[in-house]
Amino acid sequence: MLECKEKECWDQFLQFIKQRCSTAEYENWFRPIVLLSSTEELITVEVPNIFVREYLLDNYKQEFCDFLPEKFPGEPAIEFVIAKKIDTDTVKVEPVITETDAEQALQKLKLNKLYTFSNFIEGPSNQFVKSAAQGVAMHPGKSYNPLFIHGGVGLGKTHLLHGIGHHIIKANKRLNIACITTEGFINDLVDHLRNKTLDKMKRFYRSLDVLLVDDIQFLQNRMNFEEEFCNTFESLINQNKQIVITSDKPPSQLKLSERLIARMEWGLVANVAAPDLETRVAILQHKAELKGLKMPHRVAFFIAEHIYNNVRQLEGAINRLSAYCRMMHQEVTEDIAEQTLGEMFEETPKKSVTIEGILTSVASMFNVKVSELKGTSKEKKIAFPRQVAMYLAKEMMNDSLMKVASSFGGKTHSTVIHAWKKVAKQVETDETLRRQILMTKRNIEA
Ligand code: ADP
Ligand code: MG
């Protein structure tokens, strides 16, 4: 049982924070915290994942210290327990929905049947984004809103978007959902404008509980349509209705109005990166199993070593291999994989690392602009990614420090060394940062 006094401290802390930050920030980062125990010496809380812990400690340490016990001055005595993962696909749902209803809903929504959470293989490159997607699916409108998923082609953005749709229609048939491509939205708008039925369209979109929008990059340079989209967006968000958007770039790099970019950055922006070797092997094995193809681990490993940028290509490889082996009545072996897939194994020579490449990848990972990285802002959300970019430039490029420093808008070489030392030290103990750097490196080299 919690001691009343300490529990009160915690409540006061939440009240205080509520006044200090935006509703979206509160809903994203504080609402999911569960207070487990509380004494005069130590507060123990449960958070959904490691990122929430990092975010809280990075941004609210001082506030924790003001309200809660301290280990020593400036260091809050707070223990974070990471919540056990719930596989949302196995969460029991009430059988309120019949098979045919579900089928109809699926067809109406045009969700790909295979794009479920349980078919989405998790690894370090997509763990965070998958857990955010599951959070949204479990509590639409109450956790991260909007959820903005960005990443390169064929890395699973549409899969996750549909995964959210699948989960929601299974768990709550009363919710009104639409899953659209941005092209679909534009076509809809054109049709309704032509038929003078725009009000009908507005009523439809603005009465939704959940709006899933794929590939928002196609809204770029479509000024007339952007405004209507932005109005729909605001109307839904203001009613706490859930919006999820996917894109090939983070919001700050999209050529859209500042108003829409700011709205999209309101909730949680999550990146899905190219999977590492182990995850690629697991994806191959999973896809082979779905096709009923026997795929020895050795062969999966061999293919995964040669196809690394795009999960869709991994799928293509499985399809080709499976067709060949069926036709020729052969078992899957490394030799056959090499024969049939050889031309897909482009040994692309490693791209030479450029400062622009580093800046673009870091900007994308940390959701800042390249110009901000080159600028002078001391704001932590920009200054730290800038230090990471300097660290990577020193690690990955052969250029002199002077040259690296000048690429950052004329900084001195000691600034670069300082940044490099700081980040190198932090990487040793900070698991999140280590992963972020690993993913950024892979992006730079891809
Ligand atoms: P994007 O929308 O990012 O271009 P998709 O969601 O269309 O990519 O994914 C391309 C293909 O790769 C899909 O068939 C999807 O099922 C598959 N895929 C991507 N990531 C994963 C993953 N982590 N686990 C299983 N399949 C995946
Ligand atoms: Mg897609």
mmCIF file of all heavy atoms in Angstrom, residues 25 29-30 50-61:
data_model
loop_
_atom_site.group_PDB
_atom_site.id
_atom_site.type_symbol
_atom_site.label_atom_id
_atom_site.label_comp_id
_atom_site.label_asym_id
_atom_site.label_seq_id
_atom_site.Cartn_x
_atom_site.Cartn_y
_atom_site.Cartn_z
ATOM 1 N N GLU A 25 1.621 16.449 -24.753
ATOM 2 C CA GLU A 25 2.833 16.000 -24.061
ATOM 3 C C GLU A 25 2.457 15.217 -22.798
ATOM 4 O O GLU A 25 3.015 14.169 -22.493
ATOM 5 C CB GLU A 25 3.665 17.224 -23.695
ATOM 6 C CG GLU A 25 5.135 16.954 -23.668
ATOM 7 C CD GLU A 25 5.912 18.239 -23.416
ATOM 8 O OE1 GLU A 25 5.346 19.351 -23.519
ATOM 9 O OE2 GLU A 25 7.085 18.120 -23.089
ATOM 10 N N TRP A 29 3.474 11.290 -22.374
ATOM 11 C CA TRP A 29 4.591 10.894 -21.524
ATOM 12 C C TRP A 29 4.207 10.665 -20.064
ATOM 13 O O TRP A 29 4.868 9.897 -19.376
ATOM 14 C CB TRP A 29 5.709 11.945 -21.604
ATOM 15 C CG TRP A 29 6.165 12.172 -23.006
ATOM 16 C CD1 TRP A 29 5.897 13.255 -23.795
ATOM 17 C CD2 TRP A 29 6.926 11.280 -23.830
ATOM 18 N NE1 TRP A 29 6.447 13.090 -25.033
ATOM 19 C CE2 TRP A 29 7.085 11.899 -25.087
ATOM 20 C CE3 TRP A 29 7.490 10.013 -23.627
ATOM 21 C CZ2 TRP A 29 7.781 11.297 -26.134
ATOM 22 C CZ3 TRP A 29 8.190 9.420 -24.668
ATOM 23 C CH2 TRP A 29 8.330 10.068 -25.899
ATOM 24 N N PHE A 30 3.173 11.320 -19.579
ATOM 25 C CA PHE A 30 2.855 11.192 -18.152
ATOM 26 C C PHE A 30 1.665 10.285 -17.876
ATOM 27 O O PHE A 30 1.675 9.526 -16.924
ATOM 28 C CB PHE A 30 2.642 12.579 -17.530
ATOM 29 C CG PHE A 30 3.921 13.361 -17.486
ATOM 30 C CD1 PHE A 30 4.242 14.255 -18.487
ATOM 31 C CD2 PHE A 30 4.845 13.143 -16.475
ATOM 32 C CE1 PHE A 30 5.445 14.935 -18.483
ATOM 33 C CE2 PHE A 30 6.050 13.822 -16.450
ATOM 34 C CZ PHE A 30 6.351 14.717 -17.459
ATOM 35 N N ILE A 50 11.528 1.909 -22.604
ATOM 36 C CA ILE A 50 12.759 2.595 -22.205
ATOM 37 C C ILE A 50 12.783 4.048 -22.693
ATOM 38 O O ILE A 50 13.348 4.929 -22.061
ATOM 39 C CB ILE A 50 13.971 1.799 -22.744
ATOM 40 C CG1 ILE A 50 15.271 2.359 -22.240
ATOM 41 C CG2 ILE A 50 14.009 1.774 -24.237
ATOM 42 C CD1 ILE A 50 16.461 1.497 -22.556
ATOM 43 N N PHE A 51 12.097 4.319 -23.821
ATOM 44 C CA PHE A 51 12.141 5.658 -24.390
ATOM 45 C C PHE A 51 11.418 6.660 -23.504
ATOM 46 O O PHE A 51 11.826 7.803 -23.386
ATOM 47 C CB PHE A 51 11.531 5.650 -25.794
ATOM 48 C CG PHE A 51 12.302 4.773 -26.723
ATOM 49 C CD1 PHE A 51 11.943 3.455 -26.913
ATOM 50 C CD2 PHE A 51 13.435 5.252 -27.370
ATOM 51 C CE1 PHE A 51 12.669 2.632 -27.740
ATOM 52 C CE2 PHE A 51 14.165 4.439 -28.196
ATOM 53 C CZ PHE A 51 13.791 3.125 -28.388
ATOM 54 N N VAL A 52 10.340 6.189 -22.886
ATOM 55 C CA VAL A 52 9.602 7.091 -22.006
ATOM 56 C C VAL A 52 10.499 7.467 -20.823
ATOM 57 O O VAL A 52 10.610 8.628 -20.439
ATOM 58 C CB VAL A 52 8.282 6.437 -21.524
ATOM 59 C CG1 VAL A 52 7.595 7.307 -20.502
ATOM 60 C CG2 VAL A 52 7.359 6.196 -22.709
ATOM 61 N N ARG A 53 11.206 6.456 -20.285
ATOM 62 C CA ARG A 53 12.115 6.737 -19.163
ATOM 63 C C ARG A 53 13.155 7.780 -19.576
ATOM 64 O O ARG A 53 13.378 8.764 -18.887
ATOM 65 C CB ARG A 53 12.818 5.452 -18.732
ATOM 66 C CG ARG A 53 13.748 5.690 -17.567
ATOM 67 C CD ARG A 53 14.545 4.469 -17.206
ATOM 68 N NE ARG A 53 15.578 4.220 -18.198
ATOM 69 C CZ ARG A 53 16.334 3.136 -18.216
ATOM 70 N NH1 ARG A 53 16.154 2.200 -17.325
ATOM 71 N NH2 ARG A 53 17.240 2.981 -19.132
ATOM 72 N N GLU A 54 13.782 7.548 -20.741
ATOM 73 C CA GLU A 54 14.826 8.465 -21.196
ATOM 74 C C GLU A 54 14.265 9.875 -21.364
ATOM 75 O O GLU A 54 14.881 10.847 -20.964
ATOM 76 C CB GLU A 54 15.395 8.011 -22.549
ATOM 77 C CG GLU A 54 16.019 6.638 -22.529
ATOM 78 C CD GLU A 54 17.178 6.551 -21.563
ATOM 79 O OE1 GLU A 54 18.016 7.474 -21.602
ATOM 80 O OE2 GLU A 54 17.246 5.604 -20.762
ATOM 81 N N TYR A 55 13.096 9.942 -21.960
ATOM 82 C CA TYR A 55 12.505 11.246 -22.234
ATOM 83 C C TYR A 55 12.238 11.983 -20.919
ATOM 84 O O TYR A 55 12.550 13.154 -20.760
ATOM 85 C CB TYR A 55 11.201 11.072 -23.018
ATOM 86 C CG TYR A 55 10.542 12.383 -23.358
ATOM 87 C CD1 TYR A 55 10.875 13.065 -24.514
ATOM 88 C CD2 TYR A 55 9.612 12.955 -22.501
ATOM 89 C CE1 TYR A 55 10.292 14.282 -24.821
ATOM 90 C CE2 TYR A 55 9.021 14.178 -22.785
ATOM 91 C CZ TYR A 55 9.359 14.829 -23.953
ATOM 92 O OH TYR A 55 8.784 16.038 -24.235
ATOM 93 N N LEU A 56 11.683 11.249 -19.960
ATOM 94 C CA LEU A 56 11.339 11.888 -18.687
ATOM 95 C C LEU A 56 12.592 12.389 -17.983
ATOM 96 O O LEU A 56 12.641 13.513 -17.500
ATOM 97 C CB LEU A 56 10.581 10.897 -17.794
ATOM 98 C CG LEU A 56 9.177 10.509 -18.291
ATOM 99 C CD1 LEU A 56 8.614 9.376 -17.447
ATOM 100 C CD2 LEU A 56 8.239 11.711 -18.254
ATOM 101 N N LEU A 57 13.623 11.543 -17.962
ATOM 102 C CA LEU A 57 14.843 11.949 -17.255
ATOM 103 C C LEU A 57 15.542 13.093 -17.974
ATOM 104 O O LEU A 57 16.111 13.982 -17.345
ATOM 105 C CB LEU A 57 15.787 10.754 -17.096
ATOM 106 C CG LEU A 57 15.342 9.759 -16.016
ATOM 107 C CD1 LEU A 57 16.266 8.560 -15.975
ATOM 108 C CD2 LEU A 57 15.275 10.420 -14.640
ATOM 109 N N ASP A 58 15.474 13.066 -19.310
ATOM 110 C CA ASP A 58 16.125 14.137 -20.067
ATOM 111 C C ASP A 58 15.448 15.476 -19.853
ATOM 112 O O ASP A 58 16.090 16.511 -19.837
ATOM 113 C CB ASP A 58 16.056 13.833 -21.578
ATOM 114 C CG ASP A 58 17.201 12.954 -22.007
ATOM 115 O OD1 ASP A 58 18.069 12.706 -21.158
ATOM 116 O OD2 ASP A 58 17.218 12.505 -23.168
ATOM 117 N N ASN A 59 14.125 15.435 -19.724
ATOM 118 C CA ASN A 59 13.393 16.697 -19.761
ATOM 119 C C ASN A 59 12.790 17.147 -18.437
ATOM 120 O O ASN A 59 12.416 18.304 -18.305
ATOM 121 C CB ASN A 59 12.276 16.609 -20.795
ATOM 122 C CG ASN A 59 12.835 16.463 -22.188
ATOM 123 O OD1 ASN A 59 13.301 17.425 -22.776
ATOM 124 N ND2 ASN A 59 12.835 15.244 -22.691
ATOM 125 N N TYR A 60 12.647 16.233 -17.485
ATOM 126 C CA TYR A 60 11.912 16.610 -16.278
ATOM 127 C C TYR A 60 12.638 16.291 -14.972
ATOM 128 O O TYR A 60 12.020 16.180 -13.930
ATOM 129 C CB TYR A 60 10.517 15.937 -16.283
ATOM 130 C CG TYR A 60 9.629 16.510 -17.346
ATOM 131 C CD1 TYR A 60 9.529 15.913 -18.593
ATOM 132 C CD2 TYR A 60 8.929 17.683 -17.119
ATOM 133 C CE1 TYR A 60 8.739 16.473 -19.591
ATOM 134 C CE2 TYR A 60 8.128 18.241 -18.103
ATOM 135 C CZ TYR A 60 8.044 17.625 -19.347
ATOM 136 O OH TYR A 60 7.260 18.192 -20.309
ATOM 137 N N LYS A 61 13.963 16.140 -15.077
ATOM 138 C CA LYS A 61 14.731 15.777 -13.879
ATOM 139 C C LYS A 61 14.504 16.781 -12.751
ATOM 140 O O LYS A 61 14.267 16.414 -11.603
ATOM 141 C CB LYS A 61 16.203 15.709 -14.247
ATOM 142 C CG LYS A 61 16.954 14.674 -13.483
ATOM 143 C CD LYS A 61 18.357 14.610 -14.002
ATOM 144 C CE LYS A 61 18.918 13.253 -13.759
ATOM 145 N NZ LYS A 61 20.236 13.092 -14.326
#
